[in-house]
Amino acid sequence: MLKLSCNGLDRVHSLAQCGFAARPACVGPRRRRTRIGGFRSPGVRAFPVLAVVSNRDGAVVSREEAEVGTLADRLRLGSLTEDGLSYKEKFIVRSYEVGINKTATVETIANLLQEVGCNHAQSVGYSTDGFATTPTMRKLRLIWVTARMHIEIYKYPAWSDVVEIETWCQGEGRVGTRRDFILKDYATDQVIGRATSKWLMMNQDTRRLHKVSDDVREEVLVYCPREPRLAIPEEDSNCLKKIPKLEDPAQYSKVGLVPRRADLDMNQHVNNVAYIGWVLESMPQEIIDSHELQSITLDYRRECGQYDVVDSLTGVEMIQGGAETVPELKATNGSAIAKEAKKQFLHLLRLSTDGLEINRGRTEWRKKAPR
């Protein structure tokens, strides 16, 4: 029998027990939706969308759908939203995705963000080869690589909780794209996290960055909101704050980290989620024991290969501004977080051989709620 948390038990019981059905038979009260041509009604599973064409105002004017979805499409608990410009998917937190706090780990959260982003791209017809490449990108042998990732977690989901993630992408200047995420507890509709990421294109053969061409931009932007939509308000947030380089010798370090074969992804380099684990390896144990991760920001500066050896460095960063309350950030018990209760750290991942930077990071930690 699958263990269920008491949080929203009545609503998610059927979903947790029948997570691999085409659609749960009864999940409690349903939101009434008006059926728009080509989109699913509450009782009908839509086939994957191959194209959505929108006008200047962002309204959908035409769409093309596959005649038959794959088995994965039919079983997946996700679909495009009614305007066709974002994608939502529900995930059940598995037992192997929780850590010592009996809640999902930040690596689990990051993997779910990557999964929902890729599924969004597949739902509009992008290739599964190279993490959702467009036709022009495949022709030019270009792939997406992560430039920056910022994740904020207000409440960690527990084993058997159901998390709904919404994602959408947007243009980001002339050199990349941006993908944002909102995470909700499906049982309560409470926002439990937000994230934003920036992506650049790289040539798969030369491993050099490549400017986003007009052809690629047109292929991507047709599925994007016309007006900027930000998951995280950029004012008073660390999502854009510059990360200074952590100087050596650092207060804490873990040296000689080696990528596992399982850390490599389909683009033949260490997946961006693996860096999160390396960053946390050098955190002092007393912080791990008494605090939980509130936010993490990573700047990716160099790809890492299978045979590289990595050093992880960590140091305390002083928080400016005293003890005022941080807007919209809540501890697991629902209370507001005061800056005096937070601890902030800087991180650096580098190659052990020559000291070249792989990654810079910043983490914020809050006191664990009493149990």
Side-chain angles (χ1 to χ4, degrees):
M1 179 180 291
L2 182 63
K3 171 184 173 291
L4 284 173
S5 69
C6 61
N7 184 16
L9 178 61
D10 292 339
R11 185 176 180 196
V12 304
H13 177 81
S14 178
L15 177 61
Q17 296 291 343
C18 307
F20 295 103
R23 191 180 191 279
C26 56
V27 290
R30 298 174 180 167
R31 298 174 184 173
R32 183 175 296 277
R33 295 183 181 178
T34 301
R35 181 172 175 83
I36 297 177
F39 290 92
R40 67 177 181 136
S41 63
V44 179
R45 176 78 177 181
F47 290 121
V49 177
L50 293 183
V52 177
V53 180
S54 55
N55 61 20
R56 291 180 178 271
D57 297 326
V60 175
V61 295
S62 66
R63 49 190 286 124
E64 177 184 343
E65 296 184 2
E67 293 182 359
V68 179
T70 66
L71 179 61
D73 291 326
R74 296 195 297 273
L75 299 182
R76 189 175 288 132
L77 296 173
S79 64
L80 290 169
T81 55
E82 291 187 349
D83 63 6
L85 301 179
S86 68
Y87 176 89
K88 290 183 179 181
E89 186 167 352
K90 293 174 283 292
F91 299 92
I92 303 170
V93 178
R94 311 296 182 180
S95 60
Y96 53 82
E97 295 174 322
V98 303
I100 59 175
N101 295 328
K102 300 180 181 179
T103 55
T105 64
V106 66
E107 291 98 328
T108 293
I109 299 296
N111 276 320
L112 292 180
L113 298 181
Q114 180 172 279
E115 177 70 7
V116 74
C118 288
N119 290 345
H120 178 204
Q122 286 188 49
S123 73
V124 296
Y126 288 171
S127 171
T128 58
D129 181 19
F131 288 132
T133 51
T134 70
T136 301
M137 290 178 66
R138 294 194 294 276
K139 180 180 178 181
L140 299 177
R141 294 190 58 75
L142 300 174
I143 57 176
W144 294 112
V145 293
T146 314
R148 171 173 270 224
M149 172 67 76
H150 176 82
I151 303 173
E152 297 180 1
I153 305 172
Y154 314 139
K155 180 179 183 293
Y156 281 88
W159 174 27
S160 295
D161 282 353
V162 180
V163 179
E164 182 180 69
I165 305 177
E166 180 180 8
T167 185
W168 62 95
C169 60
Q170 300 169 97
E172 182 73 16
R174 298 293 300 176
V175 297
T177 60
R178 169 182 180 138
R179 179 171 286 279
D180 284 35
F181 309 83
I182 295 177
L183 298 85
K184 291 185 177 182
D185 182 325
Y186 184 66
T188 65
D189 208 38
Q190 176 189 8
V191 174
I192 60 173
R194 302 176 190 268
T196 185
S197 57
K198 296 183 179 180
W199 297 76
L200 303 175
M201 285 196 310
M202 184 176 75
N203 185 283
Q204 192 170 2
D205 301 318
T206 66
R207 316 307 284 185
R208 293 182 179 275
L209 295 180
H210 192 282
K211 183 179 177 180
V212 179
S213 67
D214 290 338
D215 290 340
V216 172
R217 190 171 301 278
E218 287 182 10
E219 290 171 331
V220 172
L221 293 184
V222 69
Y223 308 110
C224 299
R226 292 298 175 266
E227 297 297 327
R229 181 187 175 195
L230 307 180
I232 302 173
E234 293 181 342
E235 63 275 7
D236 198 28
S237 169
N238 272 343
C239 66
L240 293 181
K241 186 188 291 186
K242 182 178 179 181
I243 303 177
K245 182 178 180 181
L246 182 63
E247 298 298 333
D248 200 14
Q251 293 169 283
Y252 310 97
S253 63
K254 185 81 170 182
V255 300
L257 299 172
V258 179
R260 304 172 304 161
R261 292 188 180 95
D263 293 328
L264 302 182
D265 61 27
M266 66 182 79
N267 289 333
Q268 304 301 313
H269 58 200
V270 174
N271 186 267
N272 66 83
V273 177
Y275 295 96
I276 296 176
W278 287 345
V279 161
L280 299 182
E281 277 297 305
S282 58
M283 280 295 300
Q285 187 61 44
E286 59 268 24
I287 299 298
I288 300 295
D289 293 339
S290 60
H291 289 66
E292 63 181 5
L293 185 65
Q294 175 177 302
S295 73
I296 182 169
T297 311
L298 296 178
D299 277 341
Y300 297 87
R301 296 172 172 263
R302 178 176 282 99
E303 66 175 335
C304 183
Q306 180 178 358
Y307 302 106
D308 290 327
V309 181
V310 177
D311 295 338
S312 174
L313 309 179
T314 292
V316 175
E317 182 181 29
M318 299 302 297
I319 300 176
Q320 303 296 323
E324 68 269 21
T325 299
V326 181
E328 293 192 307
L329 294 187
K330 302 289 184 180
T332 303
N333 62 1
S335 60
I337 304 278
K339 284 192 175 181
E340 63 181 1
K342 293 196 306 177
K343 293 186 181 294
Q344 197 159 284
F345 293 85
L346 294 176
H347 306 273
L348 176 68
L349 297 180
R350 67 183 184 189
L351 294 176
S352 294
T353 52
D354 51 21
L356 292 176
E357 282 186 78
I358 300 172
N359 185 296
R360 291 185 191 184
R362 172 184 285 114
T363 56
E364 291 181 285
W365 300 75
R366 59 177 172 247
K367 276 279 190 181
K368 289 181 181 178
R371 295 188 180 276

